[in-house]
Amino acid sequence: MRVEYINPFVESAYNVLKEVLNCQVNRGELYLKSTSTPVLGVAALVGLAGDVEGRILFDMSKETAIKVASVMNGEELKELDDLAKATITELANMITAQAVTKLHDLGFKFDLTPPAIFTGDNMEVTTAEVEALIVPMVIPYGKVEINVAIRERL
Amino acid sequence: MKTKMDFPAINDRRPEGLKEDGTPYRVLIVDDSMFVTKQIGQILTSEGFEIAGVASDGQEAIDKYKELYPNVDLVTMDITMPKMDGVTALEKIMEFDKNAKVVMISALGKQDLVKKSLLLGAKNYIVKPLDRKKVLERIVMSLKK
């Protein structure tokens, strides 16, 4: 996978997290996975199809998701309820929209699926034939992993 | 003596959400995300606006608008929604009421749809992520248009 696909997502995740959470965001070390990747507990998945195809996963622990949703709503949420899920979905929407605008400007044309939220324990994601690049973003509430597996359409 | 006399009201500004006669502007919020609906609702009610109704897709937006009309002053309209998108709903609302004040709420990267909406009669647009200042500024501006 080409690194240029992931950079817009990392930049936009950094900007959006910083703006909506109003906190320090630190970028962790990028790593590559060609096999299954564990999912932390709450994952928002957005699919891409067009000149490039694949998916992006915004992955975090349940505790982090609840805290992030609480900050974004300006009230303390106790569990990952419908409002918390809608909040994480919106976060994924905002990050994706900003990144996709950059990729469109670079000349890549593709469509997106609405985010789907997966929750549960001991989950793994496998994207056959496409390596996943993962960039952890560290925030005061834990970490959000930006997990991108995209390839050019053959 | 009443305390009011001792403390002159230096912040005696009329909240943005109130009309000159002191009654609130009535807003219909259209968005399929519960989070965004709540966020816009909080920002507006904190400035005295009244939330006249909420709709989660384009068709519901049209139905609610017709139901509320003429007791609705402004609509915030999401663009991407299931069943019927916000641009189509805007078009139908403008057909029904050519003086409708609709503000589009858009994610980044929907410039073409925003442009189309403005041509169809939307008064303004707000790009997400939403913040209080941006939302109030655009909505107040649209009400004055």
Side-chain angles (χ1 to χ4, degrees):
Chain A
M1 193 182 99
R2 285 156 64 179
V3 177
E4 64 197 85
Y5 297 141
I6 196 174
N7 283 338
F9 291 98
V10 175
E11 261 173 58
S12 122
Y14 180 86
N15 293 336
V16 172
L17 286 171
K18 211 170 168 147
E19 186 173 345
V20 301
L21 299 176
N22 199 12
C23 72
Q24 178 90 22
V25 180
N26 290 309
R27 198 185 134 163
E29 280 296 311
L30 178 145
Y31 62 98
L32 190 105
K33 278 272 179 159
S34 49
T35 52
S36 304
T37 326
V39 175
L40 298 174
V42 177
L45 183 131
V46 179
L48 283 75
D51 293 349
V52 292
E53 57 188 14
R55 54 98 188 133
I56 311 127
L57 204 65
F58 300 95
D59 186 14
M60 63 200 94
S61 73
K62 194 175 167 190
E63 291 71 32
T64 303
I66 294 173
K67 281 184 195 151
V68 165
S70 298
V71 174
M72 287 177 70
N73 278 289
E75 68 177 81
E76 205 190 327
L77 303 178
K78 298 267 184 270
E79 53 182 344
L80 198 74
D81 55 9
D82 288 349
L83 176 63
K85 285 181 194 161
T87 310
I88 300 298
T89 305
E90 191 51 32
L91 179 68
N93 261 330
M94 287 187 280
I95 296 175
T96 313
Q98 211 176 94
V100 163
T101 305
K102 284 178 195 153
L103 285 169
H104 281 173
D105 291 346
L106 290 172
F108 299 108
K109 295 277 172 275
F110 52 86
D111 288 322
L112 297 173
T113 63
I117 301 275
F118 294 83
T119 55
D121 299 321
N122 298 321
M123 296 189 292
E124 278 190 350
V125 59
T126 310
T127 315
E129 294 168 35
V130 193
E131 295 155 328
L133 272 176
I134 299 153
V135 180
M137 304 298 255
V138 182
I139 53 174
Y141 318 105
K143 68 173 175 181
V144 178
E145 288 199 336
I146 317 298
N147 179 326
V148 180
I150 300 177
R151 65 172 176 195
E152 270 164 81
R153 180 165 279 178
L154 304 171
Chain B
M1 191 188 277
K2 289 270 171 69
T3 48
K4 237 185 171 175
M5 305 290 281
D6 296 331
F7 295 96
I10 50 170
N11 291 323
D12 206 7
R13 170 181 73 89
R14 182 159 48 93
E16 308 270 25
L18 298 184
K19 299 177 192 171
E20 271 172 35
D21 63 5
T23 58
Y25 283 110
R26 292 168 55 85
V27 181
L28 169 64
I29 303 176
V30 185
D31 206 300
D32 62 335
S33 165
M34 199 176 164
F35 167 68
V36 178
T37 307
K38 184 161 173 272
Q39 200 184 21
I40 298 175
Q42 276 173 343
I43 295 172
L44 293 181
T45 44
S46 74
E47 268 298 318
F49 288 88
E50 184 183 326
I51 309 306
V54 171
S56 57
D57 65 65
Q59 186 55 51
E60 201 187 340
I62 300 165
D63 297 344
K64 281 264 165 74
Y65 191 88
K66 288 181 177 169
E67 187 187 310
L68 291 166
Y69 183 82
N71 292 315
V72 53
D73 300 297
L74 186 122
V75 181
T76 70
M77 181 75 78
D78 184 23
I79 291 188
T80 319
M81 286 183 293
K83 287 189 208 164
M84 185 195 284
D85 66 90
V87 181
T88 312
L90 162 76
E91 204 173 352
K92 305 259 186 215
I93 288 177
M94 296 309 295
E95 271 170 28
F96 171 76
D97 171 15
K98 64 176 178 13
N99 297 316
K101 289 179 172 165
V102 181
V103 176
M104 306 307 285
I105 309 284
S106 158
L108 201 70
K110 305 253 181 257
Q111 287 93 333
D112 293 349
L113 291 173
V114 167
K115 258 185 236 165
K116 191 176 168 199
S117 306
L118 293 172
L119 290 172
L120 286 169
K123 293 285 178 284
N124 215 324
Y125 66 95
I126 310 170
V127 176
K128 290 190 273 196
L130 302 175
D131 72 60
R132 189 185 158 78
K133 193 169 156 256
K134 202 154 69 178
V135 170
L136 288 172
E137 196 179 87
R138 300 282 167 94
I139 284 182
V140 169
M141 220 191 287
S142 307
L143 285 165
K144 285 178 183 155
K145 269 191 186 172

